[in-house]
Amino acid sequence: MTNKDHDNHPTISVVMATYNGEKWIREQLDSIISQTYPIHELIIQDDCSTDSTPEIIKEYERQYAFIHVYQNEKNKGYCENFMSVTMKATGDFIALADQDDVWYPEKLEKQINAIGESDMCYSQHHRGYDQVTMRLVDYKCAPERQMFSPIVGHSMLLRKEYAQDSRNWLKYLAHDFGLGALAHFGNGVTKVSEPLNWHRTHNGQASAKGHVPSQQQRGIISACKPYIFGYIHYRRLQKQQSFIRFYETIHERSKGRNELCHTISKLLLSPGIIPLIRLCFLCMTHRDTIYPTKTKGFKGVMRGFFYPFIHSYKCDLYLI
């Protein structure tokens, strides 16, 4: 198969960027191979692993003709490695796979049935150290939400034309932040409102490096600190080049497509107190889609208004 299978169904390429994943990669590969929707190809690109990962993926390559393995000559880092392996895909759609997750059998089938004409389809997922204590993660499907918090890459199914457009890979940010946010200003985003994979939590995973632990995880931060110190963090973020470049891109892409995102991005780039107050009012007005959890009553209003501070205090997404 080179484009469509014999039943004229869209083809899906799965791409995986690996690095020292020997502990979990077999379970993930088995879950991908067992998908109910036929896989056109599984492309794995290893980033100079020092454990047995290269031997494991080559073993699978020998067993399955649709698996293709590549080895980087030097370490690229997970973002550049994902971009590089994605550009090798030939299917109509491309799914990004982490090496340490577990996909549920109907993941690809449900996403390909839901994506329609959109550039991206994502889903809920489970996250945790094991499948007993894991929790449901549900990202709101709103472009103004993805301006602050990314759709995670392992939940994405992408249209090939979108995924292989290098303009959608913002090299100064984690790859999924840009891909998730910018898709809203092209052909749009659809969502499957059920968990389709288990995103395994463990020490050392790349996706954990861009986030400051929550209050519950740290256990020593009072609930008022984001409101008190968030302003300082917000002003620091505004001076970071990655922050500036990201919202400049959003401002450009959203013009004529989404007035709310166009306005919010402009306010995020503006240093004065008046733009900040306007931003806070917009976040309060649209708190049902911007704030990560449900917001009700006076507490919800306060959380919505101060969301720029809360987000800035808890998050370090603009550093990779």
Side-chain angles (χ1 to χ4, degrees), residues 71-120:
Q71 181 71 48
N72 293 334
E73 294 183 1
K74 61 180 181 179
N75 185 273
K76 295 176 178 289
Y78 75 100
C79 293
E80 186 177 345
N81 197 26
F82 256 118
M83 178 178 178
S84 176
V85 69
T86 297
M87 298 305 170
K88 293 180 170 66
T90 62
D92 301 313
F93 295 88
I94 301 172
L96 310 182
D98 287 352
Q99 65 185 3
D100 43 11
D101 293 351
V102 174
W103 285 10
Y104 302 154
E106 296 181 336
K107 179 182 190 295
L108 293 180
E109 182 177 358
K110 290 184 176 181
Q111 288 190 290
I112 198 69
N113 288 337
I115 194 167
E117 299 300 318
S118 300
D119 282 329
M120 175 187 297

Side-chain angles (χ1 to χ4, degrees), residues 231 235 271-278:
Y231 175 80
R235 290 307 190 194
I273 190 65
I274 299 303
L276 176 57
I277 294 173
R278 289 184 59 201

Side-chain angles (χ1 to χ4, degrees), residues 13-17 41-44 82 85-86 89 94-98:
S13 298
V14 179
V15 299
M16 179 186 292
E41 60 189 355
L42 168 56
I43 307 175
I44 309 170
F82 256 118
V85 69
T86 297
I94 301 172
L96 310 182
D98 287 352

Side-chain angles (χ1 to χ4, degrees), residues 5 44 58 69 104 110 126 173 193 197 215 288 298:
D5 66 18
I44 309 170
K58 288 175 184 176
V69 172
Y104 302 154
K110 290 184 176 181
H126 286 127
L173 290 175
S193 293
N197 67 298
Q215 296 178 31
D288 288 343
F298 179 74

Side-chain angles (χ1 to χ4, degrees), residues 8-247:
N8 201 36
H9 292 308
T11 55
I12 299 178
S13 298
V14 179
V15 299
M16 179 186 292
T18 60
Y19 179 73
N20 288 353
E22 64 179 6
K23 292 182 180 179
W24 309 282
I25 195 168
R26 287 184 183 276
E27 189 175 8
Q28 169 68 319
L29 289 174
D30 290 342
S31 73
I32 294 172
I33 292 167
S34 301
Q35 289 292 295
T36 58
Y37 193 93
I39 297 172
H40 172 57
E41 60 189 355
L42 168 56
I43 307 175
I44 309 170
Q45 186 159 286
D46 186 72
D47 203 22
C48 302
S49 291
T50 57
D51 63 2
S52 64
T53 299
E55 289 73 26
I56 294 172
I57 58 180
K58 288 175 184 176
E59 173 192 326
Y60 275 80
E61 183 184 35
R62 289 191 294 269
Q63 294 180 37
Y64 299 94
F66 62 87
I67 297 181
H68 311 292
V69 172
Y70 295 87
Q71 181 71 48
N72 293 334
E73 294 183 1
K74 61 180 181 179
N75 185 273
K76 295 176 178 289
Y78 75 100
C79 293
E80 186 177 345
N81 197 26
F82 256 118
M83 178 178 178
S84 176
V85 69
T86 297
M87 298 305 170
K88 293 180 170 66
T90 62
D92 301 313
F93 295 88
I94 301 172
L96 310 182
D98 287 352
Q99 65 185 3
D100 43 11
D101 293 351
V102 174
W103 285 10
Y104 302 154
E106 296 181 336
K107 179 182 190 295
L108 293 180
E109 182 177 358
K110 290 184 176 181
Q111 288 190 290
I112 198 69
N113 288 337
I115 194 167
E117 299 300 318
S118 300
D119 282 329
M120 175 187 297
C121 177
Y122 75 101
S123 70
Q124 298 175 344
H125 66 274
H126 286 127
R127 181 165 188 162
Y129 288 95
D130 55 59
Q131 291 182 299
V132 176
T133 60
M134 64 187 182
R135 61 184 178 85
L136 178 68
V137 179
D138 185 12
Y139 293 96
K140 294 178 179 179
C141 189
E144 60 270 23
R145 175 61 195 153
Q146 267 80 68
M147 290 178 63
F148 293 99
S149 182
I151 297 170
V152 285
H154 59 79
S155 70
M156 295 178 180
L157 179 68
L158 303 163
R159 190 171 298 279
K160 177 185 177 182
E161 293 78 9
Y162 178 79
Q164 294 186 340
D165 186 340
S166 60
R167 296 173 300 175
N168 299 322
W169 293 79
L170 307 182
K171 298 180 181 180
Y172 50 87
L173 290 175
H175 63 284
D176 44 9
F177 200 169
L179 287 171
L182 299 180
H184 287 282
F185 310 118
N187 293 318
V189 175
T190 60
K191 175 185 176 182
V192 176
S193 293
E194 64 177 291
L196 296 181
N197 67 298
W198 166 35
H199 183 56
R200 191 194 307 264
T201 303
H202 60 84
N203 295 331
Q205 63 185 167
S207 62
K209 296 179 181 179
H211 300 267
V212 175
S214 68
Q215 296 178 31
Q216 291 78 10
Q217 291 172 315
R218 300 175 93 173
I220 59 173
I221 301 177
S222 66
C224 65
K225 281 194 173 182
Y227 299 88
I228 298 172
F229 298 107
Y231 175 80
I232 298 172
H233 287 253
Y234 176 73
R235 290 307 190 194
R236 286 175 180 170
L237 280 179
Q238 282 190 306
K239 297 177 182 179
Q240 291 184 11
Q241 284 301 306
S242 55
F243 181 97
I244 294 170
R245 293 172 66 185
F246 175 64
Y247 289 113

